Amino acid sequence: MVSRTIPVDPFDLVIFGGTGDLARRKILPGLFRRFLAGQMPEDARVIGCARGDLTDTAYRKMIKEAIEEFTPKTIRKAKDVSAFVNHLHYVKVDALGTSGWKDLKAHMRDGVIRAFYFSVGPSLFGALAERLHSYKIADSDSRIVVEKPFGRDLASAKELNATLAEHFDETQIYRIDHYLGKETVQNLMAIRFGNVLFEPLWKAQYVDHIQITVAETVGIEGRGAYYDKSGAMRDMVQNHLMQLLCLTAMEPPSRFDPDAVRDEKLKVIRALEPLDPDDYVRGQFKGGDGKSSYAEDVEDPASITESFIAMKVKVSNWRWNGTPFYLRTGKRLKARMSEIVVRFKEPPHSIFEADAGNHSNALTIRLQPNEGIDLSVTIKEPGPGGMRLVEVPLDMTFADALGPEAGEIPDAYERLVMDVIRGDQTLFMRGDEVEAAWAWTDPIIEGWRGREEKPKLYDSYSSGPEDALMLLHRDGRRWREIEA
Ligand code: NAD
């Protein structure tokens, strides 16, 4: 299903890096789906920019092929793809030089929204911002979209923020974290703040602990050079897991509006206690079964970069005092699975026999696969033979609850690009949030770099290092199985 929405205002969307992987795999297929939904105005235009020599015709052909590759057959008809690519244009621009900029300026129309997507490496962000300004291509209403990684530490994030701030106001800057564009992540807010059932229980008094897992089966094939300088903490925790943690832990914002939501998220990051050295486990995957090990995939076989991390994080405020957040993410794990589990406490007193079996409730927000939410509740096991309790899920897999068509969840990019055009920054990271997240992660990374801490080795396609299981066992808890 392609969800229907009212069209946005006419726009010129310029994609720097318009021939790159991200543009072909995510941004343009996402826009195509919005086109199918009738959300793209007749006179909207997308201008791809890159260094290569391409005509409009060649660019349209390239993107048509990308849509055929990255969009399900069931939703694309040849005539729709052709109609969509007619919205595309191409301008050859060198981000670091002078060529192409006047040409790009000549392509821009007055009276429409101008958005500039920086789908290029971060080293080009400053040059692009400066040229958009000096060639007077961007104005005070224009928006820029920047991709991760947003810095590699606090100093570089600050520098990047300062560079962008020279030419653009914070209200014009859209820092993408595509996890925030996921339908279930937004549903987390709908569940919390749209029902009276959950929010009164959403606190240390009733919540035993929270688990956030982002497990991947892929390794770092072909990305070794980039990944080895980054590791799981920089690549996943500082941005995606931290954002999920913030949305789970934050206080109710007064309105669902960009600054109200981001203010609350920022308060959570600022309330994080420094990570205790006993409260994390770093890992690196081993090879086997014809698959290379981490050490073989990177240049330095003695690399101490982690491809896995599990940690116990404490949010130091009234709401969460005593309720830990267990975070874990890694590559080459058993299954591709992302979820947030809110594990409630057991009832304070059981009226049933000791062997009836007591259970606690758990609310699971599944980001992938099978986006959906389930709530486990305790009921009586059917049949005679006394009162025995069982835990059953109230499953709200979207495809089941809302009909099979709802199983086609819109891609995060689809939603986020349209938010940029609408001028809605709610699901984008603000500069101070990004800096606060780095301020928390920097000393942790520096600590283990300083101590030359070696990660624990773990089997490929396992649940990560044994010690990560211990992190919960020692607290009398256990991780949910990593399973698809
Ligand atoms: P890519 O290497 O596939 O594409 C880069 C694009 O930038 C190409 O179109 C290239 O022509 C253009 N380019 C490079 N130098 C240029 C210059 N001097 N002037 C003009 N254009 C130039 O990269 P990608 O995978 O598409 O990633 C783009 C950005 O998005 C990066 O910052 C990356 O970290 C980020 N990102 C990518 C993904 C992904 O899935 N690919 C996911 C998250 C974030």
Side-chain angles (χ1 to χ4, degrees), residues 246-320:
C246 286
L247 291 176
T248 314
M250 72 182 182
E251 296 299 317
S254 56
R255 291 175 308 283
F256 190 62
D257 104 351
D259 278 328
V261 171
R262 297 185 299 179
D263 284 348
E264 295 308 333
K265 288 199 290 162
L266 180 62
K267 284 187 211 161
V268 175
I269 304 176
R270 289 188 174 151
L272 296 179
E273 283 186 20
L275 192 64
D276 195 304
D278 292 334
D279 283 349
Y280 67 83
V281 176
R282 298 166 65 235
Q284 206 180 71
F285 60 80
K286 296 194 266 187
D289 280 345
K291 290 277 186 183
S292 52
S293 64
Y294 183 92
E296 287 162 340
D297 282 346
V298 296
E299 209 167 276
D300 173 13
S303 164
I304 58 164
T305 302
E306 76 287 351
S307 60
F308 173 97
I309 184 158
M311 55 175 92
K312 176 180 174 177
V313 175
K314 294 172 199 145
V315 181
S316 191
N317 62 18
W318 273 55
R319 184 184 282 261
W320 296 117

Side-chain angles (χ1 to χ4, degrees), residues 169-349:
D169 187 74
E170 181 62 35
T171 55
Q172 298 178 276
I173 305 171
Y174 291 72
R175 295 175 193 79
I176 287 232
D177 185 321
H178 67 274
Y179 271 65
L180 294 180
K182 286 182 184 286
E183 199 73 8
T184 6
V185 172
Q186 292 157 56
N187 244 313
L188 168 61
M189 288 187 275
I191 285 266
R192 277 192 68 187
F193 307 126
N195 297 284
V196 77
L197 282 183
F198 298 103
E199 196 48 29
L201 305 179
W202 211 264
K203 53 171 85 151
Q205 194 183 347
Y206 297 107
V207 177
D208 180 71
H209 72 277
I210 288 167
Q211 297 185 13
I212 301 178
T213 300
V214 177
E216 298 179 289
T217 49
V218 292
I220 51 160
E221 297 87 357
R223 295 176 65 222
Y226 159 77
Y227 192 89
D228 200 40
K229 288 197 205 87
S230 169
M233 187 70 153
R234 287 195 169 103
D235 193 46
M236 297 298 289
V237 177
Q238 184 275 343
N239 38 51
H240 308 316
L241 275 85
M242 198 81 107
Q243 288 294 322
L244 299 181
L245 165 71
C246 286
L247 291 176
T248 314
M250 72 182 182
E251 296 299 317
S254 56
R255 291 175 308 283
F256 190 62
D257 104 351
D259 278 328
V261 171
R262 297 185 299 179
D263 284 348
E264 295 308 333
K265 288 199 290 162
L266 180 62
K267 284 187 211 161
V268 175
I269 304 176
R270 289 188 174 151
L272 296 179
E273 283 186 20
L275 192 64
D276 195 304
D278 292 334
D279 283 349
Y280 67 83
V281 176
R282 298 166 65 235
Q284 206 180 71
F285 60 80
K286 296 194 266 187
D289 280 345
K291 290 277 186 183
S292 52
S293 64
Y294 183 92
E296 287 162 340
D297 282 346
V298 296
E299 209 167 276
D300 173 13
S303 164
I304 58 164
T305 302
E306 76 287 351
S307 60
F308 173 97
I309 184 158
M311 55 175 92
K312 176 180 174 177
V313 175
K314 294 172 199 145
V315 181
S316 191
N317 62 18
W318 273 55
R319 184 184 282 261
W320 296 117
N321 184 40
T323 295
F325 286 70
Y326 297 100
L327 272 46
R328 119 187 111 153
T329 182
K331 302 217 171 270
R332 279 275 185 88
L333 295 176
K334 220 159 122 182
R336 180 166 176 258
M337 177 192 102
S338 303
E339 62 174 30
I340 303 169
V341 183
V342 180
R343 174 59 71 181
F344 292 90
K345 290 186 174 168
E346 286 189 3
H349 164 73

Side-chain angles (χ1 to χ4, degrees), residues 7-215:
V8 294
D9 291 333
F11 61 84
D12 279 351
L13 169 66
V14 176
I15 306 178
F16 294 107
T19 57
D21 177 69
L22 184 68
R24 284 182 297 111
R25 214 156 42 82
K26 292 285 182 188
I27 306 170
L28 286 153
L31 272 165
F32 171 61
R33 294 178 63 128
R34 289 295 89 211
F35 167 80
L36 291 181
Q39 203 179 14
M40 205 159 139
E42 285 276 305
D43 54 353
R45 295 188 323 172
V46 179
I47 303 165
C49 292
R51 276 181 306 184
D53 265 317
L54 284 179
T55 57
D56 280 357
T57 312
Y59 187 56
R60 289 173 184 173
K61 182 167 175 285
M62 173 194 272
I63 301 309
K64 185 167 170 272
E65 286 165 7
I67 289 171
E68 282 161 3
E69 192 176 347
F70 299 114
T71 310
K73 236 183 180 162
T74 45
I75 65 160
R76 70 176 142 80
K77 295 196 185 88
K79 72 172 182 22
D80 291 332
V81 181
S82 300
F84 170 73
V85 297
N86 278 336
H87 289 265
L88 307 183
H89 300 267
Y90 181 82
V91 179
K92 179 183 170 183
V93 170
D94 182 5
L96 296 172
T98 51
S99 73
W101 287 95
K102 286 191 178 140
D103 204 8
L104 177 59
K105 184 177 167 66
H107 267 76
M108 306 301 294
R109 296 172 298 171
D110 288 329
V112 299
I113 293 163
R114 292 182 182 188
F116 302 92
Y117 200 128
F118 293 7
S119 182
V120 293
S123 59
L124 301 184
F125 291 177
L128 289 176
E130 191 273 316
R131 283 162 178 73
L132 283 175
H133 187 78
S134 61
Y135 284 91
K136 297 193 169 43
I137 298 173
D139 57 29
S140 58
D141 284 333
S142 304
R143 289 124 214 205
I144 59 167
V145 186
V146 293
E147 266 296 336
K148 88 166 203 185
F150 201 85
R152 53 170 283 105
D153 52 21
L154 179 58
S156 54
K158 274 188 165 168
E159 202 181 307
L160 213 48
N161 275 337
T163 307
L164 296 181
E166 278 177 37
H167 308 291
F168 294 93
D169 187 74
E170 181 62 35
T171 55
Q172 298 178 276
I173 305 171
Y174 291 72
R175 295 175 193 79
I176 287 232
D177 185 321
H178 67 274
Y179 271 65
L180 294 180
K182 286 182 184 286
E183 199 73 8
T184 6
V185 172
Q186 292 157 56
N187 244 313
L188 168 61
M189 288 187 275
I191 285 266
R192 277 192 68 187
F193 307 126
N195 297 284
V196 77
L197 282 183
F198 298 103
E199 196 48 29
L201 305 179
W202 211 264
K203 53 171 85 151
Q205 194 183 347
Y206 297 107
V207 177
D208 180 71
H209 72 277
I210 288 167
Q211 297 185 13
I212 301 178
T213 300
V214 177

